[in-house]
Amino acid sequence: MTLGPAATTGEIVTFLRTLRNDENIAGMGRFGIETDNALGISNPVMQKIARQVKKNPARALELWETGIREARMLALYTLDPKTLDAATARRLAGDFASWEIVDAAADLFVAARLEDLIPEFAADAREFVRRTAFSMIASAAVHLKKEPDGLILGYLVLVEAHAQDERNFVRKAVNWALRNIGKRSRNCHGPALALAQKLATGADKTARWTGKDAVRELTSEKVLERLKD
């Protein structure tokens, strides 16, 4: 069966089910991916399917509502960042239950220029919604190249505010955001490293882990050499 832009939600889901791979499902579980509704299809395959069916926001939201892991990844790949609004992003975020979905959505939200949602998501107590904020920061630091460094440096306040969140998927995203800010440019490196050093010597063990790990990368020869360019 070949899928094209006219494929319906039902046709796509039927096709996805033919690609189920139980061995891959087990492997995903070992990487902390939520597999209760997974079919075990790799993301490169999903991205190929997305190119075949093209962007279709209405159909993408129908795919999301199926709850199937692969259908939701395909939904994120086929939503249009040019038309995605904050209300829809909030709706999606309310369903987040896996770091993999969060990180794919974060790239989409940044492409849609929904960074105004970052403080809101950071303040949300739900683990995967808060992770979304810091995944968005990590993505923005890399992809919003034309924006002033000051915009990205402003997120250090959120990094410091939530560096004590010990939940695994939050602390890793906070760490990721801090490291990406520091690697963005020479202007960003100093303030990010200063915060990392502050966290590394603080009283909270989670913040210390975040700080020490960020210091290690931001003072590495590889990073320092790249920032000379």
Side-chain angles (χ1 to χ4, degrees), residues 117-166:
L117 290 174
I118 289 175
E120 176 184 326
F121 286 165
D124 196 300
R126 290 172 290 181
E127 181 175 9
F128 289 104
V129 178
R130 183 168 291 171
R131 181 186 173 91
T132 305
F134 293 97
S135 294
M136 287 179 69
I137 293 171
S139 180
V142 173
H143 297 297
L144 298 187
K145 299 182 186 298
K146 294 183 180 180
E147 292 300 319
D149 286 342
L151 172 69
I152 305 302
L153 286 171
Y155 296 129
L156 289 176
V157 174
L158 294 176
V159 170
E160 184 171 12
H162 295 287
Q164 297 182 22
D165 192 323
E166 63 184 6

Side-chain angles (χ1 to χ4, degrees), residues 37-55:
N37 292 304
L39 299 174
I41 306 171
S42 71
N43 286 336
V45 172
M46 295 303 306
Q47 290 161 356
K48 180 179 179 180
I49 294 171
R51 290 191 294 271
Q52 293 172 345
V53 301
K54 308 297 183 184
K55 295 192 183 301

